[in-house]
Amino acid sequence: MDWRAIKFDWNRARAFLVTAEEGSLAAAARALDMTQPTLGRQVAALEQEIGVDLFNRRGRGLELTPNGMKLVEHVRAMGDAANRFSLSATGKSDIIEGNICITTTELLATFILPPMIQKLRQSEPGIEIEIISTNDESNLNRREADIAIRSFRPSQQELIVKKLYDVKGHLYAATSYLQRLGNPNSIDELNKANFIDFEKSGRLLSLLNAQGFNLSSDNFPVITKNHNVQWELVKQGVAICGMLEEIGDNEPLVERVVVPGLVPITAKVWIVTHKELRTNRRVRRVFDFLVSEFANYQNKYDRS
Amino acid sequence: MDWRAIKFDWNRARAFLVTAEEGSLAAAARALDMTQPTLGRQVAALEQEIGVDLFNRRGRGLELTPNGMKLVEHVRAMGDAANRFSLSATGKSDIIEGNICITTTELLATFILPPMIQKLRQSEPGIEIEIISTNDESNLNRREADIAIRSFRPSQQELIVKKLYDVKGHLYAATSYLQRLGNPNSIDELNKANFIDFEKSGRLLSLLNAQGFNLSSDNFPVITKNHNVQWELVKQGVAICGMLEEIGDNEPLVERVVVPGLVPITAKVWIVTHKELRTNRRVRRVFDFLVSEFANYQNKYDRS
DNA sequence: CATCAGGTATACATAATTGTATGGATTGGC
DNA sequence: GCCAATCCATACAATTATGTATACCTGATG
């Protein structure tokens, strides 16, 4: 067999791929933990090697040429295969030391995960933990994380999913704020209150209106995706927001908003990992640990 | 987007792939024009990076571990994509300078191609030519060559095929050898002659027996795939072999074996290139040049 | 059982790649 | 129309990967 077509520097293909996807050399360099000159040189070397202009240098970032757009398909295929390789390789590794990346919501990352991670670090000092706190869905097939903890069952195939616990939440407000509202005693009275939503589309809005509220966007003067910010605003008496029962009940500055007809918010929390990774000792250790910790957490809370 | 899974050194994946396919680090190094220590270090680094043993070091060569066998599937996919990338990239290149690899039979490479290449080199000094002279079928999809000139239509898809010329051949023998045989005048008399075949399976044998000969393997005391060797043996009066009409007729040491009922050997010669390469200026230049040269060649010979 | 061919691993010098620092250029906002 | 931010290209130093030479190992062969 001959390998003429394979002799080229594959790292240059990688540089091409990431640069094309990220849109600029600088962004690609950040993504790959390299420097912009390095990426620039790799891409330039690839262009010279194959004799094809891949990008048009524009003031702001780079732009794929028509040829580049066709060729990026192939390096994307390489990247997909590289992903599968990496995924499968990690699954077959049996060394316990190393990095584990967990992605979860800001709520869980802030209020629930930290003590668990502390405990895990003590029992497994060789495992380094990286937590990506984002409310965006992440793609485990691309190994954006090893383990995800989400409040929905992911749609992707090839994943292992397990229910962690049933989360229960309520509306909370600062005592001072409720007093200012005149201690509302019905849903109707709450219709003039202010709430904090995650996004303009109004997730909380539609949830509450489904329960008999009659809210409009006027009731949501503050919008932030960041749960911590939400919570601080509520503690300061700015508005009302939803919060996990166990967190809200333990915060002295706030109290549950209790009116007839208002039912608790419930959701399920799932832990997810890629099928391939389940066979990795390190991933399995963390996965099982979290499952067990969340079981303890739920039991402890249910009893109290 | 995150690129955790893609950050690893892709050249190490390439080293893994070629080593697995070739069976040893040394062979892989030869295939990639690198040195064995380099390949060894790359593979070792990959093994350490992913924490998986890919090969068992054995005295003679390396042997894939079970994990390695599974993982090589993915790097093979990377390699296939790399192939497609390379193929497509070369097709989109518009620089005329560079290397072109032509594979053809020993016969054509020795007797017909050289003057054409000489002429091409003069008109296109920027194009470097590499000629692979082998009677084995080569795989253009894997870019073992850019252009192939063969006496059969290749079965592979994605190829561009064009008939170059009709080749005519005869049996030739040294005058001295024919005298020793008593200047045979019939096929029957030739049945006691010696011939030279390409391989043990007996391509020439079956060809001649189909024409009324009654030959066995005893008639083929010398077997060599190498046409040059065949031809030299014939000139020395060792045996009879087939040869292109225009070459044989111009060789004073030999003469056509002419007996009643013996018909010329005919075949078609095809030029082949990959579809993607046809759009490459360099390949197209050489391709078109060869088509035109072979047309001239056939005309010139037909008139004489 | 000795020899030889082919293969792998290591030491060291060399070559190539990478990072740092910096200049120049373009875009978007005020 | 200017300023700030962002990005690309280049010079030089530091790091890293590579090749050469060589020792050592294994399996085939006579």
Side-chain angles (χ1 to χ4, degrees), chain B residues 206-255:
Chain B
S206 49
L207 191 74
L208 292 178
N209 279 352
Q211 290 199 17
F213 281 78
N214 182 24
L215 303 173
S216 71
S217 60
D218 295 340
N219 294 95
F220 295 83
V222 180
I223 288 177
T224 173
K225 268 197 167 181
N226 189 308
H227 269 110
N228 302 302
V229 176
Q230 282 196 2
W231 194 231
E232 290 305 318
L233 290 168
V234 168
K235 286 200 279 186
Q236 296 305 316
V238 173
I240 301 173
C241 86
M243 179 46 81
L244 298 178
E245 178 177 287
E246 56 267 39
I247 307 300
D249 287 357
N250 285 318
E251 172 53 54
L253 289 175
V254 304
E255 57 188 81

Side-chain angles (χ1 to χ4, degrees), chain B residues 5-17:
Chain B
I6 280 188
K7 275 191 201 168
F8 71 94
D9 191 324
W10 283 17
N11 284 333
R12 292 176 180 169
R14 182 188 57 177
F16 171 37
L17 169 62

Side-chain angles (χ1 to χ4, degrees), chain A residues 166-200:
Chain A
D166 291 304
V167 64
K168 191 155 50 163
H170 308 279
L171 293 180
Y172 287 89
T175 307
S176 59
Y177 182 70
L178 286 178
Q179 286 172 350
R180 256 190 289 152
L181 282 178
N183 289 316
N185 211 6
S186 68
I187 287 180
D188 198 46
E189 290 179 71
L190 281 173
N191 277 334
K192 61 179 194 287
N194 285 335
F195 298 83
I196 308 178
D197 209 336
F198 300 94
E199 47 204 7
K200 289 177 183 166

Side-chain angles (χ1 to χ4, degrees), chain A residues 11-12 33-38 41-42 58-60:
Chain A
N11 284 334
R12 292 176 180 170
D33 284 335
M34 296 202 268
T35 58
Q36 169 265 319
T38 299
R41 279 181 296 234
Q42 288 189 347
R58 310 196 57 218
R60 189 70 146 235

Side-chain angles (χ1 to χ4, degrees), chain B residues 136-197:
Chain B
D136 300 330
E137 181 174 9
S138 45
N139 189 330
L140 290 188
N141 282 326
R142 283 206 173 117
R143 276 292 299 289
E144 292 174 24
D146 302 303
I147 293 175
I149 302 177
R150 312 261 81 162
S151 53
F152 49 84
R153 284 185 78 108
S155 52
Q156 302 160 43
Q157 295 298 319
E158 308 283 307
L159 299 181
I160 291 181
V161 181
K162 190 164 185 174
K163 203 184 85 175
L164 269 186
Y165 87 127
D166 291 304
V167 64
K168 191 154 52 162
H170 307 278
L171 292 180
Y172 287 90
T175 308
S176 58
Y177 182 69
L178 286 177
Q179 285 173 350
R180 257 189 289 151
L181 282 178
N183 289 316
N185 212 5
S186 69
I187 287 180
D188 199 44
E189 289 180 70
L190 281 173
N191 277 332
K192 60 178 194 287
N194 285 336
F195 297 84
I196 309 179
D197 209 337

